[in-house]
């Protein structure tokens, strides 16, 4: 099956080399069982939408990349690579938007946010926050699947899509 080798004017690739790297790795992770990360992407059923099999369409939808510190992130960790589910995110944001992330109810906004966000709000390390909440009997984390109906990604909290 064609994994989406860029066709068309080489100038679009030449002027978007870094973006081309992001795009090609996205395709490989989702379609090549021999790739080291396939088990976490294609092996879990994560796909690249038909539109993004064309590099030109990917560029049209995801340009410009805010900075080289931003990487492609799926807002819904179990969702596909498609325009409605992807944003550019920093490493900090992506670290909070993983399948294994734990979520707590924010004391002010009353929405489920990554536990690391609560630690940041409290001005302490994640370990100190967890210890304090455990000691007080208030450590009630949820997984993303458990809070899906009220799930708010770090990308949405920080409005990094713009």
């Amino acid at each position: 099956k064609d994994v989406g080798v860029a066709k068309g004017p080489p100038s679009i690739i030449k002027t978007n080399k870094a973006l081309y790297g992001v795009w090609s790795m996205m395709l490989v992770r989702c379609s090549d069982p021999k790739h080291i990360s396939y088990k976490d992407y294609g092996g879990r059923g994560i796909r690249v939408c038909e539109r993004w099999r064309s590099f030109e369409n990917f560029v049209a939808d995801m340009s410009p990349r805010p900075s080289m510190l931003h990487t492609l992130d799926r807002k819904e960790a179990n969702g596909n690579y498609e325009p409605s589910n992807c944003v550019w995110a920093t490493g900090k944001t992506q670290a909070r938007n993983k399948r294994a992330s734990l979520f707590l109810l924010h004391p002010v906004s009353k929405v489920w946010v990554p536990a690391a966000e609560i630690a940041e709000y409290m001005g302490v390390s994640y370990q100190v926050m967890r210890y304090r909440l455990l000691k007080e009997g208030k450590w009630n984390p949820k997984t993303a699947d458990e809070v899906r109906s009220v799930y708010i990604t770090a990308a949405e909290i920080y409005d990094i899509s713009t």
Side-chain angles (χ1 to χ4, degrees):
K1 189 172 185 177
D2 179 19
V3 294
V5 177
K7 296 178 177 90
S11 61
I12 193 168
I13 296 169
K14 204 175 208 179
T15 57
N16 292 285
K17 283 183 182 178
L19 209 52
Y20 182 80
V22 170
W23 174 79
S24 62
M25 290 309 299
M26 168 188 70
L27 289 172
V28 171
R29 283 193 304 265
C30 293
S31 61
D32 183 359
K34 294 176 186 165
H35 189 275
I36 192 167
S37 297
Y38 178 81
K39 67 180 176 9
D40 296 318
Y41 294 87
R44 291 192 316 128
I46 294 168
R47 303 287 178 250
V48 176
C49 70
E50 192 63 37
R51 175 173 170 75
W52 281 6
R53 293 190 178 276
S54 156
F55 181 58
E56 284 107 348
N57 289 339
F58 180 75
V59 169
D61 293 340
M62 295 304 294
S63 273
R65 183 179 186 180
S67 79
M68 292 302 287
L69 297 176
H70 288 77
T71 56
L72 190 62
D73 188 27
R74 286 170 293 116
K75 293 186 273 187
E76 172 52 56
N78 294 316
N80 291 327
Y81 284 101
E82 57 193 8
S84 63
N85 193 41
C86 290
V87 294
W88 292 111
T90 62
K92 178 180 177 180
T93 301
Q94 281 205 352
R96 293 178 178 185
N97 189 28
K98 292 184 174 192
R99 287 179 287 152
S101 293
L102 295 177
F103 292 77
L104 295 170
L105 198 59
H106 194 284
V108 176
S109 66
K110 303 298 183 200
V111 296
W112 291 95
V113 296
E117 164 116 0
I118 304 300
E120 192 173 277
Y121 170 77
M122 293 170 68
V124 298
S125 72
Y126 180 87
Q127 292 79 9
V128 168
M129 181 240 0
R130 185 175 182 275
Y131 172 79
R132 287 180 185 172
L133 293 176
L134 276 168
K135 189 175 173 185
E136 296 170 12
K138 296 179 181 176
W139 178 249
N140 301 321
K142 305 284 185 228
T143 65
D145 288 338
E146 292 173 313
V147 296
R148 181 118 8 252
S149 63
V150 291
Y151 182 73
I152 295 183
T153 66
E156 292 167 323
I157 292 167
Y158 296 110
D159 192 27
I160 60 160
S161 60
T162 56

